[in-house]
Amino acid sequence: MNNLLVFFTALAISVAIIPLMIRLAPRLGMVDRPDPRKVHTKPIPRVGGVGIVFGALIPLLLWMPLDEAMLAYAFGALVLFGFGAWDDSHELGHYVKFIGQFIAVLGVVYYGDVYVEVLPFMDMERLPDSIAKPFTVFAMVGMINAMNHSDGLDGLAGGMSVLSLSCIAYLAFLADGQQVVTIAVAVLGGVMGFLRYNTHPARVFMGDSGSQFLGFTLGFLAILLTQDVNSALSPALPALFLGLPIVDILAVFAQRIYHGMNWFRATRNHIHHRLLELGFHHYEVVVIIYSIQMFFIASAIFLSYESDVLILAIYLGVCSLVFVFLTLAERQKWRAHRRHGRSKFAAFVQSAKQHAFFTVGTTRFVAIVIPLAFLATSVLVAHVPRDFGISAGILAVISLLVLIFGPKESIVLRAISYVTAAFVVYLETKYIGQESPVLRDISFGLYALLAVSIWLSVRYAANIEFRTSPLDFLVIFVALTVGIISHNHFHQDALGIMAVKLIILFYGCELIFMKLKGRWNSLKLDMSALITLSVLGIRSLI
């Protein structure tokens, strides 16, 4: 419960601060202007780091015990934020930024006493402090710059950080590493609030103040997790859950050295730049990189106690495949999308996509099934807790008043529909699915059909306003991963199942509101929510 409070506080602070900073950005000079090296074509405020950093630090400072490691982390985060914000407004040189990075990291290593003591292939033999601490400083500064350099496309650095932080939080949770879990959850809240404004086309960039903070946090948590919280984990594991940013920056530096270029002069030879040059669309590049990072994250979770050799072999093998593909594709002048002409197969697929089943049928299915699912759950559930019933009754009264006296399209009704969806998922999973295997299997099948129908509707329905982004892909992956992982832990099983179902229902409700706005289907969803809440309220009193 404390972690949920930390997450939602961080999320709320981040979401609230960023719009204000967007308006202040021109006055502060914190605007990223286009140039030949960059992808965007118009000035974008780079103030997202303010929301990420303060969204994460405020709840941590309010609710976490401040030991030496935590104080060093907070100090380092503020130092990096200060230097990063300075760079975002005045374009500092790399050497000035290095000063801030070393100050932040030296505090963590020498005051917070957080450093790498065991390296891969050492058979748990500890490094002497004279080697371990300088190595840690070098590694953490490298991670800060790796994340800083990966911030090249809308949603890219933020999304990769979400995946890495989620993995760290999960592994720390299994080992009762509460400090690591709470820090990871707080930063996740800050980043998720930022991603609300950073999906393509972005309204804001995180800037150096955000990317340096994320790299610093990931390095700090990786050391705490593998060296302190659970030293039984393979010391090579950070390569997997930190993932692509590490190999990307090493490859870029190698190319710059090979060509005799300045190590620190920005160029367009990062992985995301090379994929763009091959003709992939912006969102396709982000999804491709997310997918590779997801593979690393899944490997880190399921191979966390395997040998260093296996872990590094998987990491280096996948990275090698990525660079082999990029190199061969560039040499063969291969392009992801043909500029002229269309094959017969492509024409057939395009014709099939225009069939009424895709353009109309799937949307109608979603609009019918979700209200029926609401009503069926209110009737079939074996037990309605009293607190749920009271809350449902209050919401039913509010919904009725808004339907009678309020506007036709009300954000209050929409919010009540989402809350009803949460009620339905909880009650159906806990009091129907666990007591009736038959109804549970029917429920799984129905949610699977809903998920497919929502995807088809979003992808192919005519005149649709609902637009997906790499953030949607990221959210769905995290939800599915929670479900799959928690299936192996009985006490967390219900939570994972509920997370997946809730994501599906939320997307379904959003589809109805956006696609069928102003039509009777939207009213039907509102009415079904009203009836469902009323029935739940009455049943809790019986």
Side-chain angles (χ1 to χ4, degrees), residues 347-458:
F348 169 77
V349 171
Q350 184 63 31
S351 175
K353 290 191 299 186
Q354 296 172 355
H355 191 277
F357 173 78
F358 294 104
T359 58
V360 178
T362 53
T363 307
R364 288 181 177 174
F365 177 79
V366 174
I368 292 171
V369 169
I370 290 181
L372 287 178
F374 283 9
L375 297 172
T377 300
S378 68
V379 174
L380 294 175
V381 65
H383 172 67
V384 180
R386 181 61 61 89
D387 56 342
F388 264 74
I390 294 173
S391 300
I394 294 172
L395 290 174
V397 172
I398 295 172
S399 179
L400 180 62
L401 291 175
V402 174
L403 281 170
I404 296 173
F405 301 107
K408 293 182 179 179
E409 297 179 11
S410 170
I411 191 171
V412 175
L413 291 176
R414 181 178 295 193
I416 289 175
S417 294
Y418 290 137
V419 174
T420 306
F423 281 11
V424 164
V425 166
Y426 175 82
L427 294 172
E428 183 270 330
T429 304
K430 185 171 180 62
Y431 296 107
I432 298 178
Q434 291 188 2
E435 296 182 7
S436 173
V438 174
L439 290 177
R440 180 191 60 202
D441 293 341
I442 293 174
S443 172
F444 284 159
L446 186 62
Y447 275 96
L449 286 175
L450 265 178
V452 172
S453 298
I454 291 167
W455 182 82
L456 290 173
S457 296
V458 170

Side-chain angles (χ1 to χ4, degrees), residues 20-100:
L20 174 63
M21 293 305 303
I22 290 175
R23 291 192 291 271
L24 293 176
R27 297 182 186 179
L28 300 173
M30 300 175 73
V31 177
D32 197 333
R33 305 190 182 280
D35 66 38
R37 179 183 59 84
K38 297 174 181 176
V39 175
H40 61 285
T41 57
K42 62 179 182 179
I44 303 290
R46 45 185 175 191
V47 292
V50 180
I52 295 173
V53 175
F54 286 98
L57 288 184
I58 289 174
L60 288 177
L61 295 175
L62 285 175
W63 289 303
M64 272 201 70
L66 297 179
D67 58 11
E68 291 181 347
M70 186 61 205
L71 285 172
Y73 169 73
F75 170 77
L78 290 173
V79 168
L80 287 172
F81 171 77
F83 274 83
W86 187 12
D87 180 69
D88 291 333
S89 59
H90 291 89
E91 296 287 353
L92 303 177
H94 280 86
Y95 298 106
V96 178
K97 289 195 291 185
F98 275 136
I99 294 174

